[in-house]
Amino acid sequence: MLDTALLRTFMEVARAQGFTEAGRRLGLRQSTVSQQIGRLEDAVGRRLFVRDTHTVRLTADGEALVEFARGMLELEERARQHFAGADLRGRVRLGAGEDFVISHLSDVLAAFVRRHPAVDLELTVGLSGFLYQKLDAGELDLVLAKRRPGDTLGRPLWRDRFVWAGREGEVPDPAKPVPLVLYTPPSISRSVALEALERHGRPWRIACVSGSLSGLRAAALAGLGVTVQPRAMLPSGMAEVPHLPPLVDVEFVLAGPGATGRGPAAALAQAIVDSAVRLQGAA
């Protein structure tokens, strides 16, 4: 009943949250993407997306189809590799931010290891700036990390908005410098926070510096100050903090030479791309 070619287009629209961007990534015209989604909706007899002039969102049936489509595409890939007679072997070195590691990335990596037992997977966890440095040094094949909109490094997977975050009910005193709980440099969220405060002339002080998300969370929940996090990936127990300068968007990308071509790194890159919808939220 379900054409896997249509399912691939469906998954790309879900990841890109738009028909035009999905078409660009797939090398198809926007009208072709719309036609393929229409055929898929006819096949399942359900509406899969809610569309208006600005946004494209999955319906409840669309969210259900994401899981079915992922399984069907994974099964097709396994069958293709089996009959091609070439089991993947080798090594792939992946770098990822801690916020991914404590969310659903572990499920994606576990499925990849089960599917490709002859591949040695090495995972490095760190801040985006640190991971990009290791990528530039040739020490990583793939990096799953953040970038600012407008940067060109990597393949965009989805976009979110940075928000101020702290313990529930936290409101910084406007008469005092904003107490900040920040990553050590180089850090995108650290730079975004300081630039926003400087741009609006808001005094600040650094109350805590940590190299880990768990350290930031502990400090923020203890009331030491506020931090900056992607809205969809707020750590457990933390909430948005109001009455502070607005922050910019953030993009999540997959970068590195292993993201193209063939081999274990390319296979892992495709597995991450196929799971982008699941990775967008915290576990």
Side-chain angles (χ1 to χ4, degrees):
M1 180 181 72
L2 300 180
D3 185 332
T4 53
L6 301 183
L7 292 178
R8 288 192 192 89
T9 300
F10 164 75
M11 292 294 284
E12 199 61 62
V13 173
R15 284 190 287 268
Q17 298 181 338
F19 284 61
T20 301
E21 176 62 18
R24 186 189 67 78
R25 297 180 186 182
L26 293 167
L28 300 174
R29 291 181 299 176
Q30 187 271 339
S31 59
T32 302
V33 174
S34 297
Q35 291 170 4
Q36 291 186 358
I37 295 302
R39 288 167 55 194
L40 185 58
E41 290 180 329
D42 289 342
V44 299
R46 304 290 178 87
R47 192 176 184 186
L48 302 175
F49 293 100
V50 177
R51 287 158 271 187
D52 58 33
T53 56
H54 301 292
T55 62
V56 173
R57 294 180 290 106
L58 287 165
T59 64
D61 289 315
E63 291 177 352
L65 183 59
V66 165
E67 295 301 320
F68 293 121
R70 182 179 297 114
M72 293 175 68
L73 293 173
E74 288 176 352
L75 183 61
E76 181 191 49
E77 176 62 16
R78 289 170 58 191
R80 186 193 66 77
Q81 290 178 3
H82 174 81
F83 289 108
D87 291 335
L88 281 179
R89 296 180 180 276
R91 179 182 66 161
V92 55
R93 301 166 299 173
L94 171 67
E98 186 181 357
D99 38 11
F100 291 109
V101 175
I102 64 174
S103 64
H104 296 289
L105 180 62
S106 57
D107 298 333
V108 177
L109 298 184
F112 179 83
V113 170
R114 287 195 302 269
R115 195 175 309 122
H116 306 294
V119 172
D120 293 326
L121 174 60
E122 299 177 5
L123 176 64
T124 298
V125 180
L127 302 181
S128 297
F130 167 74
L131 296 175
Y132 287 135
Q133 289 175 354
K134 292 185 73 68
L135 185 66
D136 291 339
E139 298 174 6
L140 293 173
D141 303 305
L142 293 169
V143 164
L144 179 60
K146 306 179 187 72
R147 78 174 187 191
R148 297 191 191 208
D151 288 351
T152 59
L153 180 65
R155 174 180 179 175
L157 300 178
W158 72 88
R159 178 181 288 206
D160 197 0
R161 175 160 287 277
F162 273 130
V163 295
W164 297 101
R167 63 181 179 182
E168 189 73 37
E170 185 78 20
V171 180
D173 187 340
K176 297 180 180 180
V178 179
L180 298 176
V181 176
L182 300 177
Y183 282 121
T184 54
S187 162
I188 292 175
S189 62
R190 178 191 178 102
S191 298
V192 164
L194 298 181
E195 289 169 6
L197 293 171
E198 292 288 351
R199 189 165 55 248
H200 287 80
R202 188 75 184 266
W204 53 270
R205 66 179 180 87
I206 295 181
C208 175
V209 174
S210 174
S212 72
L213 178 59
S214 57
L216 294 187
R217 178 178 178 273
L221 292 181
L224 296 186
V226 297
T227 188
V228 168
Q229 289 292 310
R231 174 180 287 151
M233 303 181 78
L234 279 179
S236 174
M238 296 181 67
E240 291 187 41
V241 174
H243 310 311
L244 288 172
L247 300 170
V248 299
D249 287 351
V250 58
E251 290 181 334
F252 296 88
V253 301
L254 187 63
T260 59
R262 305 182 65 178
L268 178 57
Q270 189 59 53
I272 292 173
V273 169
D274 290 342
S275 302
V277 173
R278 184 166 26 155
L279 292 172
Q280 289 184 38

PDB file of all heavy atoms in Angstrom, residues 85-99:
ATOM      1  N   GLY A  85      25.175  -7.952  -0.878  1.00  0.00           N
ATOM      2  CA  GLY A  85      26.266  -8.825  -0.470  1.00  0.00           C
ATOM      3  C   GLY A  85      27.432  -8.107   0.163  1.00  0.00           C
ATOM      4  O   GLY A  85      28.554  -8.594   0.149  1.00  0.00           O
ATOM      5  N   ALA A  86      27.194  -6.933   0.711  1.00  0.00           N
ATOM      6  CA  ALA A  86      28.302  -6.159   1.289  1.00  0.00           C
ATOM      7  C   ALA A  86      27.904  -5.625   2.651  1.00  0.00           C
ATOM      8  O   ALA A  86      27.337  -4.552   2.761  1.00  0.00           O
ATOM      9  CB  ALA A  86      28.682  -5.006   0.365  1.00  0.00           C
ATOM     10  N   ASP A  87      28.173  -6.403   3.705  1.00  0.00           N
ATOM     11  CA  ASP A  87      27.909  -5.939   5.065  1.00  0.00           C
ATOM     12  C   ASP A  87      28.869  -4.808   5.407  1.00  0.00           C
ATOM     13  O   ASP A  87      30.050  -4.852   5.063  1.00  0.00           O
ATOM     14  CB  ASP A  87      28.093  -7.082   6.064  1.00  0.00           C
ATOM     15  CG  ASP A  87      27.014  -8.139   5.924  1.00  0.00           C
ATOM     16  OD1 ASP A  87      25.917  -7.793   5.436  1.00  0.00           O
ATOM     17  OD2 ASP A  87      27.275  -9.286   6.289  1.00  0.00           O
ATOM     18  N   LEU A  88      28.365  -3.807   6.090  1.00  0.00           N
ATOM     19  CA  LEU A  88      29.206  -2.676   6.465  1.00  0.00           C
ATOM     20  C   LEU A  88      30.259  -3.094   7.482  1.00  0.00           C
ATOM     21  O   LEU A  88      29.958  -3.794   8.446  1.00  0.00           O
ATOM     22  CB  LEU A  88      28.347  -1.556   7.047  1.00  0.00           C
ATOM     23  CG  LEU A  88      27.596  -0.674   6.060  1.00  0.00           C
ATOM     24  CD1 LEU A  88      26.775   0.350   6.819  1.00  0.00           C
ATOM     25  CD2 LEU A  88      28.555   0.038   5.116  1.00  0.00           C
ATOM     26  N   ARG A  89      31.466  -2.652   7.246  1.00  0.00           N
ATOM     27  CA  ARG A  89      32.568  -2.876   8.171  1.00  0.00           C
ATOM     28  C   ARG A  89      33.397  -1.606   8.257  1.00  0.00           C
ATOM     29  O   ARG A  89      33.398  -0.787   7.354  1.00  0.00           O
ATOM     30  CB  ARG A  89      33.459  -4.043   7.717  1.00  0.00           C
ATOM     31  CG  ARG A  89      32.752  -5.386   7.690  1.00  0.00           C
ATOM     32  CD  ARG A  89      33.677  -6.503   7.227  1.00  0.00           C
ATOM     33  NE  ARG A  89      32.988  -7.772   7.219  1.00  0.00           N
ATOM     34  CZ  ARG A  89      32.834  -8.548   8.279  1.00  0.00           C
ATOM     35  NH1 ARG A  89      33.383  -8.179   9.442  1.00  0.00           N
ATOM     36  NH2 ARG A  89      32.177  -9.679   8.209  1.00  0.00           N
ATOM     37  N   GLY A  90      34.103  -1.481   9.374  1.00  0.00           N
ATOM     38  CA  GLY A  90      34.974  -0.322   9.521  1.00  0.00           C
ATOM     39  C   GLY A  90      34.693   0.438  10.792  1.00  0.00           C
ATOM     40  O   GLY A  90      34.184  -0.113  11.768  1.00  0.00           O
ATOM     41  N   ARG A  91      35.016   1.723  10.781  1.00  0.00           N
ATOM     42  CA  ARG A  91      34.904   2.555  11.972  1.00  0.00           C
ATOM     43  C   ARG A  91      34.239   3.859  11.607  1.00  0.00           C
ATOM     44  O   ARG A  91      34.438   4.395  10.516  1.00  0.00           O
ATOM     45  CB  ARG A  91      36.290   2.846  12.550  1.00  0.00           C
ATOM     46  CG  ARG A  91      36.280   3.731  13.799  1.00  0.00           C
ATOM     47  CD  ARG A  91      37.686   4.019  14.283  1.00  0.00           C
ATOM     48  NE  ARG A  91      38.443   4.837  13.336  1.00  0.00           N
ATOM     49  CZ  ARG A  91      39.539   5.518  13.648  1.00  0.00           C
ATOM     50  NH1 ARG A  91      40.027   5.456  14.874  1.00  0.00           N
ATOM     51  NH2 ARG A  91      40.175   6.233  12.732  1.00  0.00           N
ATOM     52  N   VAL A  92      33.416   4.385  12.529  1.00  0.00           N
ATOM     53  CA  VAL A  92      32.841   5.705  12.353  1.00  0.00           C
ATOM     54  C   VAL A  92      32.967   6.452  13.666  1.00  0.00           C
ATOM     55  O   VAL A  92      32.652   5.925  14.740  1.00  0.00           O
ATOM     56  CB  VAL A  92      31.363   5.624  11.882  1.00  0.00           C
ATOM     57  CG1 VAL A  92      30.516   4.784  12.819  1.00  0.00           C
ATOM     58  CG2 VAL A  92      30.762   7.023  11.753  1.00  0.00           C
ATOM     59  N   ARG A  93      33.464   7.698  13.584  1.00  0.00           N
ATOM     60  CA  ARG A  93      33.700   8.523  14.764  1.00  0.00           C
ATOM     61  C   ARG A  93      32.677   9.662  14.767  1.00  0.00           C
ATOM     62  O   ARG A  93      32.733  10.547  13.924  1.00  0.00           O
ATOM     63  CB  ARG A  93      35.123   9.074  14.737  1.00  0.00           C
ATOM     64  CG  ARG A  93      36.206   7.987  14.690  1.00  0.00           C
ATOM     65  CD  ARG A  93      37.558   8.570  14.317  1.00  0.00           C
ATOM     66  NE  ARG A  93      37.524   9.182  12.985  1.00  0.00           N
ATOM     67  CZ  ARG A  93      38.527   9.884  12.459  1.00  0.00           C
ATOM     68  NH1 ARG A  93      39.644  10.073  13.153  1.00  0.00           N
ATOM     69  NH2 ARG A  93      38.417  10.405  11.252  1.00  0.00           N
ATOM     70  N   LEU A  94      31.760   9.601  15.731  1.00  0.00           N
ATOM     71  CA  LEU A  94      30.674  10.572  15.816  1.00  0.00           C
ATOM     72  C   LEU A  94      30.880  11.493  17.008  1.00  0.00           C
ATOM     73  O   LEU A  94      31.181  11.045  18.116  1.00  0.00           O
ATOM     74  CB  LEU A  94      29.332   9.838  15.973  1.00  0.00           C
ATOM     75  CG  LEU A  94      28.107  10.702  16.281  1.00  0.00           C
ATOM     76  CD1 LEU A  94      27.755  11.606  15.103  1.00  0.00           C
ATOM     77  CD2 LEU A  94      26.920   9.821  16.663  1.00  0.00           C
ATOM     78  N   GLY A  95      30.697  12.786  16.783  1.00  0.00           N
ATOM     79  CA  GLY A  95      30.681  13.760  17.861  1.00  0.00           C
ATOM     80  C   GLY A  95      29.276  14.298  18.042  1.00  0.00           C
ATOM     81  O   GLY A  95      28.586  14.587  17.055  1.00  0.00           O
ATOM     82  N   ALA A  96      28.818  14.424  19.279  1.00  0.00           N
ATOM     83  CA  ALA A  96      27.454  14.899  19.540  1.00  0.00           C
ATOM     84  C   ALA A  96      27.428  15.686  20.838  1.00  0.00           C
ATOM     85  O   ALA A  96      28.206  15.419  21.761  1.00  0.00           O
ATOM     86  CB  ALA A  96      26.475  13.736  19.620  1.00  0.00           C
ATOM     87  N   GLY A  97      26.511  16.651  20.894  1.00  0.00           N
ATOM     88  CA  GLY A  97      26.323  17.418  22.114  1.00  0.00           C
ATOM     89  C   GLY A  97      25.651  16.584  23.193  1.00  0.00           C
ATOM     90  O   GLY A  97      24.928  15.620  22.909  1.00  0.00           O
ATOM     91  N   GLU A  98      25.882  16.976  24.449  1.00  0.00           N
ATOM     92  CA  GLU A  98      25.321  16.220  25.570  1.00  0.00           C
ATOM     93  C   GLU A  98      23.799  16.226  25.550  1.00  0.00           C
ATOM     94  O   GLU A  98      23.163  15.249  25.953  1.00  0.00           O
ATOM     95  CB  GLU A  98      25.815  16.796  26.895  1.00  0.00           C
ATOM     96  CG  GLU A  98      25.404  15.981  28.115  1.00  0.00           C
ATOM     97  CD  GLU A  98      25.888  16.602  29.412  1.00  0.00           C
ATOM     98  OE1 GLU A  98      26.593  17.630  29.364  1.00  0.00           O
ATOM     99  OE2 GLU A  98      25.539  16.068  30.487  1.00  0.00           O
ATOM    100  N   ASP A  99      23.187  17.314  25.056  1.00  0.00           N
ATOM    101  CA  ASP A  99      21.730  17.364  25.026  1.00  0.00           C
ATOM    102  C   ASP A  99      21.160  16.294  24.102  1.00  0.00           C
ATOM    103  O   ASP A  99      20.066  15.778  24.333  1.00  0.00           O
ATOM    104  CB  ASP A  99      21.229  18.753  24.624  1.00  0.00           C
ATOM    105  CG  ASP A  99      22.079  19.417  23.558  1.00  0.00           C
ATOM    106  OD1 ASP A  99      22.940  18.734  22.974  1.00  0.00           O
ATOM    107  OD2 ASP A  99      21.877  20.614  23.307  1.00  0.00           O
TER     108      ASP A  99
END
